């Protein structure tokens, strides 16, 4: 058997951990109630103390904020709300000084309708940029050219009276889709990558990549027999002609060539909510695509030992040769893990995330166990909730500001926060948890520290040991060292055969059993996970 590679032989993004910052809600430095880049810079040491390797920052570009930055008005600027280009440069330098990588959000599928490109494009059918967006004539009855639906509700086609055509928008009408079949669009968008790479960024998280290209013939999407009242209206149809079109891979490979032309292992992470078999294509032919196509399957798989074990096996088996795994438990679009699974089980989830093979991405605030904050209707910000109210689709609850301490602005702002802090902020905050050796924050730090000293947990092999009742057990091994992870996903006490004799508990989710010798069987309390090792 070939000897295991040294840790140094792995790219930083293989052994490292990514931390997502939603910049509006991380740290405000000027009292306007919205987080900004100087604020983020001032909090970088939190990330260092936590023990992550890279910070992915959701969009910071000039934007009318119809979709809170995912509607970009200028791909090579910084929104004054977040600061200046000098602030950005300072942030990158400060992050790099601390050994942190910086990953930006890249939004290629659509721009803002206020982007000068779209303003030109909609000005006339003869404009040189007309085909930079997806313009089509009406259907014979004068209605939209196809039955395609917007992710955020309603038709995906918006009528433009002045030029007598419809334009396509996979998301809001304020987010017209760019036409990636245009070589000029491609060139301009690849230049945007170069702009930031030249400024030293270490990679990009690529937004909504599965929406990049639509069927050229505009074929209607078929109805979805599985759609039920209460589900997102966009799911009324099966999006076979608007998502995951084969041509997307050529565009991704072009992005990857740009990134690879720079030194130092720059990274592309792709956002695509797709079944595992379809997702694998996003690694690209001969790994010419994303290094990490986001794996969101922990967000939707039933939280049961057998289901999780099957997911891990299926995902591992589907990976292309050399394809690197990754796992996600939360982001700014999904209900927080502590709300989905409950606070106690969220600790077990943290242990799972940080001990699976592959690159984990953490979402800000999950390290202190933030829960979804209920947003009263008059404070709703998210356009999705505004367009399609009452279905629980709104994303504001997971986007509330980071509570740093127990003061009225939670240390986040001296002003009025753009979203409410929520009732827990006075108790659940970074300062309180930093002082509590049993806190969620302490658990995250312990797991990240263990991951750092035990490469088996980051780059080691994965082997399922068992998935019986509520308990999932797996082994991680690297360079002759083996560790075992035992997770009790249930609320009852569980006794598990010790996978090994003469080992010790390295960490428990309850943080009170370090060094306990393991013999015979291991007792797991309700909602307890342990890592066992030499
Ligand atoms: C995915 C982003 O994560 C989400 O926040 C955004 O609304 C859509 N893409 C559209 O850009």
């Amino acid at each position: 058997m070939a000897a295991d590679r040294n840790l140094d032989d792995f790219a930083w993004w293989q052994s490292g951990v990514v931390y997502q910052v939603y910049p509006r809600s991380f740290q405000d430095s000027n009292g306007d109630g919205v987080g900004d880049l100087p604020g983020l810079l001032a909090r970088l040491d939190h990330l260092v103390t936590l023990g992550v390797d890279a910070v992915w920052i959701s969009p910071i570009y000039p934007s009318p904020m119809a979709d809170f930055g995912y509607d970009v008005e200028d791909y090579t600027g910084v929104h004054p709300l977040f600061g200046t280009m000098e602030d950005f440069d300072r942030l990158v330098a400060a992050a790099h000084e601390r050994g942190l990588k910086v990953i930006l959000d890249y939004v290629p599928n659509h721009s803002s309708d206020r982007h000068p490109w779209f303003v030109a494009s909609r000005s006339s059918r003869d404009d040189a940029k007309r085909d930079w967006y997806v313009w089509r004539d009406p259907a014979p009855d004068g209605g939209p050219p196809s039955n395609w639906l917007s992710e955020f509700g309603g038709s995906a086609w918006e009528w433009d009276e002045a030029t007598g055509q419809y334009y396509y928008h996979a998301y809001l009408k304020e987010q017209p889709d760019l036409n990636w079949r245009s070589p000029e669009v491609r060139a301009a968008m690849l230049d945007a990558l170069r702009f930031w790479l030249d400024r030293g960024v270490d990679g990009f998280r690529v937004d909504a990549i599965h929406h990049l290209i639509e069927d050229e013939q505009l074929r209607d999407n078929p109805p979805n027999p599985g759609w039920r009242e209460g589900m997102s209206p966009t799911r009324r149809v099966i999006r076979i002609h608007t998502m995951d079109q084969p041509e997307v891979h050529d565009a991704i490979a072009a992005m990857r060539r740009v990134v690879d032309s720079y030194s130092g292992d720059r990274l592309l992470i792709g956002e695509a909510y797709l079944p595992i078999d379809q997702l694998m294509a996003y690694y690209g032919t001969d790994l010419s695509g994303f290094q990490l196509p986001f794996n969101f399957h922990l967000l939707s798989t039933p939280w049961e030992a057998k289901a999780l074990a099957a997911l891990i096996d299926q995902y591992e088996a589907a990976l292309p040769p050399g394809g690197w795994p990754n796992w996600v438990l939360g982001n700014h679009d999904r209900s927080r893990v502590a709300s989905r699974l409950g606070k106690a089980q969220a600790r077990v989830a943290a242990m799972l995330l940080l001990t699976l093979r592959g690159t984990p991405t953490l979402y800000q605030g999950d390290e202190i166990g933030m829960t979804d904050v209920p947003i009263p209707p008059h404070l709703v910000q998210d356009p999705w909730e505004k367009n399609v109210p009452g279905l629980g689709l709104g994303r504001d609850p997971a986007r509330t500001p980071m509570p740093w301490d127990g003061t009225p602005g939670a240390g986040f702002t001296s002003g009025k926060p753009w979203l409410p802090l929520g009732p827990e902020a006075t108790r659940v905050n970074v300062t309180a948890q930093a002082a509590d050796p049993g806190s969620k924050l302490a658990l995250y730090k312990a797991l990240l520290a263990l991951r750092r000293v035990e490469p088996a947990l980051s780059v080691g092999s994965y082997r399922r040991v068992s998935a019986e009742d509520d308990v999932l057990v797996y082994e991680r091994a690297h360079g002759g060292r083996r560790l075992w992870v035992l997770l009790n996903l249930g609320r009852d006490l569980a006794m598990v055969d010790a996978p090994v004799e003469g080992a010790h508990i390295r960490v428990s989710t309850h943080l009170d059993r370090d060094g306990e010798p393991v013999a015979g069987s291991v007792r797991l309390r309700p909602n307890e996970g342990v890592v066992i090792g030499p």
Side-chain angles (χ1 to χ4, degrees):
M1 205 179 107
D4 282 336
R5 291 189 286 162
N6 290 323
L7 199 52
D8 291 346
D9 298 334
F10 289 85
W12 65 266
W13 49 265
Q14 293 180 300
S15 57
V17 176
V18 178
Y19 181 97
Q20 180 190 359
V21 162
Y22 192 68
R24 295 182 68 89
S25 290
F26 199 60
Q27 177 65 54
D28 177 20
S29 72
N30 61 2
D32 64 1
V34 177
D36 47 43
L37 295 179
L40 168 52
L41 193 154
R43 293 293 187 189
L44 279 182
D45 286 332
H46 171 69
L47 307 191
V48 175
T49 322
L50 184 60
V52 299
D53 300 84
V55 53
W56 148 36
I57 313 167
S58 283
I60 53 164
Y61 314 110
S63 162
M65 296 283 166
D67 189 21
F68 294 104
Y70 285 95
D71 46 327
V72 180
E73 199 176 323
D74 172 3
Y75 285 99
T76 56
V78 173
H79 196 305
L81 196 60
F82 295 125
T84 62
M85 195 57 86
E86 290 68 44
D87 291 328
F88 177 78
D89 290 340
R90 272 192 286 275
L91 175 70
V92 173
H96 286 168
E97 269 166 32
R98 290 163 173 79
L100 292 169
K101 306 285 185 187
V102 177
I103 298 171
L104 284 188
D105 218 307
Y106 175 60
V107 190
N109 179 66
H110 45 268
S111 71
S112 161
D113 62 345
R114 306 252 198 100
H115 196 296
W117 298 343
F118 188 71
V119 173
S121 183
R122 94 184 297 175
S123 67
S124 140
R125 287 200 189 199
D126 302 324
D127 188 86
K129 290 202 166 51
R130 184 64 169 182
D131 77 337
W132 281 41
Y133 292 84
V134 183
W135 290 98
R136 291 291 183 276
D137 289 333
D141 67 357
S146 71
N147 73 348
W148 298 352
L149 297 175
S150 154
E151 290 294 312
F152 290 152
S155 170
W157 293 101
E158 180 69 10
W159 174 245
D160 182 58
E161 189 63 46
T163 58
Q165 281 192 313
Y166 283 89
Y167 67 86
Y168 174 72
H169 55 94
Y171 293 90
L172 298 174
K173 66 177 176 11
E174 292 84 359
Q175 295 169 295
D177 269 46
L178 283 156
N179 172 22
W180 272 77
R181 291 195 175 101
S182 151
E184 290 170 21
V185 165
R186 226 178 233 242
M189 287 302 291
L190 296 179
D191 276 349
L193 291 176
R194 291 188 189 96
F195 176 89
W196 295 106
L197 290 163
D198 286 338
R199 297 199 98 85
V201 311
D202 301 285
F204 301 89
R205 172 267 192 190
V206 183
D207 185 69
I209 192 65
H210 49 323
H211 276 293
L212 199 72
I213 312 255
E214 303 76 43
D215 179 39
E216 207 157 19
Q217 299 171 49
L218 308 189
R219 280 172 288 187
D220 275 354
N221 278 325
N224 176 5
W227 187 84
R228 299 282 174 275
E229 213 52 61
M231 285 169 70
S232 172
T234 187
R235 309 300 288 273
R236 278 175 183 270
V237 291
I238 302 178
R239 297 164 290 179
I240 50 170
H241 296 307
T242 44
M243 276 180 26
D244 192 28
Q245 302 296 297
E247 286 164 84
V248 70
H249 299 296
D250 189 51
I252 298 169
M255 295 173 196
R256 177 66 186 275
R257 282 194 296 277
V258 170
V259 166
D260 280 354
S261 70
Y262 285 77
S263 61
D265 271 342
R266 316 271 178 131
L267 172 66
L268 282 184
I269 308 174
E271 189 216 22
Y273 285 86
L274 290 172
I276 288 175
D277 51 337
Q278 281 165 266
L279 185 64
M280 292 303 147
Y282 286 73
Y283 284 96
T285 308
D286 298 329
L287 304 182
S288 60
F290 295 122
Q291 289 102 324
L292 302 176
F294 261 146
N295 167 11
F296 294 121
H297 289 273
L298 285 179
L299 295 168
S300 51
T301 299
W303 204 253
E304 295 156 10
K306 281 197 172 53
L308 289 174
L311 164 69
I312 301 163
D313 287 350
Q314 188 199 351
Y315 179 70
E316 285 275 352
L319 287 166
W324 192 252
N326 76 90
W327 299 92
V328 176
L329 260 185
N331 60 34
H332 64 296
D333 293 329
R334 294 299 166 121
S335 174
R336 283 196 177 268
V337 60
S339 291
R340 288 200 320 272
L341 303 177
K343 290 192 177 198
Q345 196 52 223
R347 286 180 173 250
V348 178
M351 184 171 276
L352 174 74
L353 177 71
L354 294 175
T355 60
L356 279 176
R357 193 175 85 92
T359 308
T361 299
L362 311 183
Y363 177 47
Q364 73 176 43
D366 282 350
E367 76 273 30
I368 54 170
M370 283 179 77
T371 47
D372 293 341
V373 174
I375 308 294
H378 69 285
L379 293 180
V380 166
Q381 304 282 334
D382 183 10
W384 198 359
E385 178 66 27
K386 286 182 179 171
N387 284 358
V388 189
L391 297 184
L393 299 171
R395 299 164 296 175
D396 293 332
R399 295 177 174 181
T400 60
M402 184 82 180
W404 295 98
D405 59 38
T407 61
F412 165 71
T413 185
S414 56
K416 184 172 182 294
W418 75 287
L419 279 173
L421 287 156
E424 289 187 344
T426 48
R427 282 177 299 109
V428 180
N429 60 63
V430 174
T431 305
Q433 294 203 6
D436 172 3
S439 67
K440 181 76 69 59
L441 182 60
L443 172 63
Y444 267 89
K445 284 183 188 168
L447 288 167
L448 285 159
L450 185 60
R451 204 180 149 89
R452 215 169 271 284
V453 295
E454 292 287 1
L457 291 180
S458 53
V459 300
S461 61
Y462 167 92
R463 184 176 70 84
R464 181 214 288 215
V465 174
S466 61
E468 299 294 331
D469 303 321
D470 282 335
V471 180
L472 173 61
V473 180
Y474 50 89
E475 178 192 281
R476 303 293 315 279
H478 181 78
R481 275 180 93 74
R482 289 198 291 169
L483 288 100
W484 291 266
V485 183
L486 287 60
L487 304 176
N488 183 357
L489 308 171
R491 292 180 185 175
D492 299 322
L493 192 77
M495 296 300 290
V496 188
D497 288 344
V500 62
E501 292 298 319
H504 298 88
I505 292 183
R506 300 290 300 273
V507 63
S508 150
T509 47
H510 295 34
L511 293 169
D512 55 1
R513 295 172 75 175
D514 284 14
E516 189 182 298
V518 167
S521 60
V522 186
R523 181 172 170 274
L524 292 177
R525 290 167 285 179
N527 301 304
E528 183 177 28
V530 295
V531 179
I532 291 173

